């Protein structure tokens, strides 16, 4: 083992020698005597703000191609996020991947890691969250080393995103923990090149606000945020998961899509799908999804045909993307503790969804006038996208 590593471990000390965390201060008592954590109100305000920001009848980027750039420099060993920054970010990105594909089923994600003044592509653009998460699992093997490079990360992302078709959005999400960047040349020329190819870049900072990061997001029409804690980091990831308004005001274009059905051929007609030919994994089968133009076989959807370039999807993928264009209106918030509020006089205090007692705040549908708790309100707006009482056959 290197002598420098031994000295660093001695300086870091053991975890049990660090400052203790006063976790009991996170628990507070509300007006009804119910024990709740102090972070509940912060999460509640962030979720409600996210719902209110949604607008209907605007042009959104439904097909998104995004590269996630993770800073794996030496500063990611800091323990201000438990157990350290890298592991905390890794857990949050795993959650983000499933949330991203749930909100954008016909989109793709890629992974880039920057360390030692360079950038390395860990995963190319894929449309399966499990494949993306499997690539993240190996981040801890190489550890955190050296300094990051924003310019190399942007250029590596640009090399892949500039070949994406114009009807898809090109995005970069950078998780930046370091307050410095070591670049081989002029980063502003790289920013102009990304702007030329209409690439949007957003940055989540873990330390403090940095001028160059703010400049990148300003020029590339992205969002720059600095986290407060792990809960705030999760809220920022959820904010990026929702599609942003399309900044391209050009003419609308039509695109061709194929809707292949799953077929099972005869046992002797065994072949390998094209999505596994470039990997070391060999998978032979007599079933799969066949492209309606070139008859190429794939084992999963959505995917872009590697022979004819046709986008292959399923009908539910488009249906799940449709709700972003016409989001459900926010429910009316009502304080059940105010006796002078006449609207709550003849309304049950039990949630119409989970049937549990609502302590303080209730949310009323604007059409059926049913009441829901905050958990059901968030579940309806983020998952169901329709009021269950309004769509019930009984009503």
């Amino acid at each position: 083992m290197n002598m420098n590593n031994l000295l660093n471990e001695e300086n870091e000390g053991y975890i049990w020698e660090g400052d203790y965390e006063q976790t009991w201060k996170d628990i507070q008592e509300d007006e009804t005597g119910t024990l709740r954590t102090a972070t509940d109100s912060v999460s509640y305000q962030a979720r409600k703000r996210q719902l209110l920001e949604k607008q209907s009848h605007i042009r959104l980027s439904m097909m998104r191609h995004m590269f996630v750039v993770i800073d794996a420099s030496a500063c990611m060993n800091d323990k201000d996020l438990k157990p350290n920054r890298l592991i905390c970010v890794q857990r949050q990105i795993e959650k983000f991947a499933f949330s991203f594909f749930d909100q954008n089923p016909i989109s793709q994600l890629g992974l880039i890691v920057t360390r030692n003044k360079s950038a390395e592509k860990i995963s190319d653009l894929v449309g399966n969250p499990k494949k993306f998460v499997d690539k993240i699992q190996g981040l801890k093997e190489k550890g955190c080393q050296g300094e990051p490079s924003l310019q190399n990360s942007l250029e590596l992302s640009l090399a892949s995103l500039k070949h994406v078709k114009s009807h898809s959005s090109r995005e970069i999400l950078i998780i930046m923990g370091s307050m410095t960047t070591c670049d081989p040349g002029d980063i502003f020329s790289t920013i102009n090149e990304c702007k030329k190819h209409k690439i949007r870049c957003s940055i989540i900072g873990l330390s403090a606000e940095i001028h160059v990061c703010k400049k990148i997001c300003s020029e590339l029409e992205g969002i720059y945020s600095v986290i407060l804690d792990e809960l705030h980091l999760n809220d920022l990831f959820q904010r990026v998961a929702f599609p942003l308004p399309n900044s391209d005001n050009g003419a609308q274009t039509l695109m061709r899509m194929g809707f292949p059905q799953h077929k099972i051929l005869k046992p002797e007609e065994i072949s390998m799908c094209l999505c596994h030919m470039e990997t070391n994994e060999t998978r032979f089968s007599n079933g799969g999804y066949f492209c309606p133009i070139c008859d190429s076989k794939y084992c999963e959807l959505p995917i872009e045909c590697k022979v004819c370039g046709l986008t292959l999807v399923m009908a539910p993928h488009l249906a799940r993307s449709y709700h972003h264009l016409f989001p459900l209106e926010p429910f009316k918030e009502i304080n059940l503790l105010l006796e002078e509020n006449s609207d709550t006089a003849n309304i049950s205090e039990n949630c119409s969804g989970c049937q549990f007692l609502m302590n303080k705040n209730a949310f009323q549908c604007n059409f059926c006038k049913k009441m829901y708790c905050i958990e059901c309100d968030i579940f309806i707006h983020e998952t169901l996208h329709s009021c269950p009482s309004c769509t019930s056959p009984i009503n």
Side-chain angles (χ1 to χ4, degrees), residues 25-38:
K25 290 187 177 180
D26 292 337
I27 301 177
Q28 299 177 355
E29 184 177 357
D30 59 9
E31 295 84 349
T32 61
T34 304
L35 295 179
R36 295 183 178 273
T37 59

Side-chain angles (χ1 to χ4, degrees), residues 191-323:
I191 295 174
N192 294 332
E193 192 69 18
C194 293
K195 188 176 182 179
K196 176 183 176 182
H197 289 87
K198 299 179 181 180
I199 295 178
R200 172 181 283 154
C201 180
S202 299
I203 300 178
I204 298 178
L206 306 182
S207 299
E209 184 175 294
I210 307 173
H211 175 73
V212 65
C213 295
K214 190 174 182 179
K215 181 70 174 178
I216 291 174
C217 296
S218 175
E219 291 291 331
L220 301 183
E221 301 182 0
I223 301 173
Y224 180 44
S225 305
V226 179
I227 69 168
L228 301 174
D229 50 21
E230 185 175 354
L231 180 64
H232 188 215
L233 176 61
N234 180 58
D235 292 334
L236 293 178
F237 272 118
Q238 296 302 321
R239 184 181 181 184
V240 179
F242 288 92
L244 299 175
N246 196 340
S247 58
D248 186 9
N249 297 323
Q252 297 181 1
T253 57
L254 298 177
M255 59 173 298
R256 300 177 65 188
M257 282 190 175
F259 299 88
Q261 296 182 353
H262 191 273
K263 299 180 181 179
I264 299 179
L265 305 179
K266 298 179 181 180
E268 60 272 11
E269 297 180 356
I270 296 179
S271 60
M272 187 171 64
C273 58
L274 288 182
C275 50
H276 286 87
M277 289 187 65
E278 298 179 355
T279 61
N280 296 328
E281 180 183 0
T282 56
R283 181 180 298 179
F284 290 89
S285 64
N286 62 338
Y289 298 96
F290 294 86
C291 177
I293 294 182
C294 62
D295 207 31
S296 301
K297 190 177 78 169
Y298 299 92
C299 61
E300 57 188 18
L301 299 178
I303 197 171
E304 183 175 329
C305 182
K306 299 180 180 179
V307 177
C308 62
L310 182 67
T311 302
L312 305 178
V313 298
M314 298 177 65
H317 293 149
L318 293 180
R320 285 163 53 194
S321 303
Y322 182 78
H323 64 78

Side-chain angles (χ1 to χ4, degrees), residues 82-83 106 116 134 143 145 154 194 199 204 243 255 330 343 360:
K82 304 300 179 183
I106 55 177
N116 288 332
D134 290 340
Q145 304 170 0
L154 291 176
C194 293
I199 295 178
I204 298 178
M255 59 173 298
D343 294 340
K360 181 181 178 181

Side-chain angles (χ1 to χ4, degrees), residues 5 8 12 70-78 84-87 113-116 139-147:
N5 294 335
N8 291 334
E12 289 179 1
I70 301 178
D71 178 8
S73 59
C75 70
M76 295 297 284
N77 285 321
D78 293 348
N84 61 30
R85 287 183 178 181
L86 182 64
I87 297 178
V113 173
T114 172
R115 60 164 69 91
N116 288 332
L139 288 181
K140 295 182 291 185
E141 297 178 358
K142 293 186 178 181
C144 305
Q145 304 170 0
E147 292 183 272

